[in-house]
Amino acid sequence: MARLDHALVIAAGDVDLALLRSMAAAAPAPLLIAADGGAARVLGAGLSPDLVVDDFDSLADAERLRLEASGVELRVAERDKDESDMELCLLGALELRATRITILGAMGVTRPEHSLANLLLLADSRLDGIEVTIAGRGSWIWRIGTAAGPGEAHIEGQPADYVSLFAIDPEVVGVSTDGLRFPLAAETLRLGPSRGLSNELVGPRARVTTRRGRLLVVHTDRDQN
């Protein structure tokens, strides 16, 4: 099976439609995978998803019929299941051997537990080695490192953009930064304390490296927030 370069996963939260259209227009074109009500966001952007994973508890009947008429692949999930629709979308992208996954609409949902669940999916070891990013409204969130191995992030933006670092293992060891206002030099960040919150770019680029442990990197464009 050929590897898929980029899968764009759309959830039912706050989706920046302009960003969605821009990313969908990239070459090579990404595969659009919608999770449940995320299909309505895709249709609202004037686009059509390639795949919808859904238990159909939030997608309107008219929208489902429209998708079926367009020949969109619908994977019907059980309502009583262990995985969220978002998780099933990510597994679908892995099944297609995606090398890069971008998630839109993962945050800003009505029920905050869904936002938390979507963030914590980045810690899934099945995503080790895959570039997975949650994007939207001027912010980008991704995970670097593994439970037992190193990680590296290169950040591009504008001076004074926010960069926050959060451990999602009990501790992340050997965290070093270059290009941030408050530097770290082979230090340890622990799950819980907010020491890594609201650092800032001092130039157009920064670098974060870790020796061991999973670290969430959050880059927020100061001008859009």
Side-chain angles (χ1 to χ4, degrees), residues 123-204:
D124 194 321
S125 61
R126 291 172 292 185
L127 298 175
D128 288 358
I130 306 296
E131 181 184 337
V132 184
T133 305
I134 293 175
R137 306 297 177 187
S139 291
W140 296 263
I141 306 169
W142 65 102
R143 184 255 291 188
I144 63 172
T146 65
E152 183 174 8
H154 294 270
I155 304 160
E156 295 188 3
Q158 300 296 323
D161 280 0
Y162 296 111
V163 176
S164 295
L165 308 174
F166 300 104
I168 47 176
D169 273 315
E171 60 181 25
V172 181
V173 177
V175 182
S176 296
T177 66
D178 180 54
L180 296 182
R181 180 182 175 192
F182 306 106
L184 298 175
E187 299 184 43
T188 297
L189 294 181
R190 292 180 171 79
L191 180 65
S194 56
R195 185 182 177 200
L197 178 66
S198 296
N199 212 325
E200 298 177 9
L201 288 174
V202 295

Side-chain angles (χ1 to χ4, degrees), residues 25-203:
L31 189 76
L32 302 186
I33 304 176
D36 200 6
R41 307 289 194 272
V42 178
L43 294 173
L47 303 169
S48 179
D50 298 294
L51 169 65
V52 177
V53 179
D54 201 344
D55 55 15
F56 296 100
D57 62 351
S58 60
L59 189 64
D61 290 341
E63 291 165 337
R64 178 178 180 180
L65 291 172
R66 179 179 170 186
L67 293 168
E68 290 175 339
S70 299
V72 174
E73 180 184 354
L74 303 180
R75 294 189 184 180
V76 180
E78 297 291 337
R79 293 198 177 189
D80 297 328
K81 58 186 184 301
D82 293 329
E83 304 87 358
S84 67
D85 293 326
M86 171 61 73
E87 183 175 354
L88 292 175
C89 284
L90 291 178
L91 293 177
L94 292 179
E95 177 187 321
L96 294 167
R97 302 182 68 204
T99 59
R100 182 163 60 103
I101 302 171
T102 304
I103 304 169
L104 304 181
M107 310 300 289
V109 295
T110 303
R111 292 169 54 191
E113 66 269 29
H114 284 284
S115 295
L116 288 171
N118 290 336
L119 275 174
L120 291 174
L121 280 172
L122 297 182
D124 194 321
S125 61
R126 291 172 292 185
L127 298 175
D128 288 358
I130 306 296
E131 181 184 337
V132 184
T133 305
I134 293 175
R137 306 297 177 187
S139 291
W140 296 263
I141 306 169
W142 65 102
R143 184 255 291 188
I144 63 172
T146 65
E152 183 174 8
H154 294 270
I155 304 160
E156 295 188 3
Q158 300 296 323
D161 280 0
Y162 296 111
V163 176
S164 295
L165 308 174
F166 300 104
I168 47 176
D169 273 315
E171 60 181 25
V172 181
V173 177
V175 182
S176 296
T177 66
D178 180 54
L180 296 182
R181 180 182 175 192
F182 306 106
L184 298 175
E187 299 184 43
T188 297
L189 294 181
R190 292 180 171 79
L191 180 65
S194 56
R195 185 182 177 200
L197 178 66
S198 296
N199 212 325
E200 298 177 9
L201 288 174
V202 295

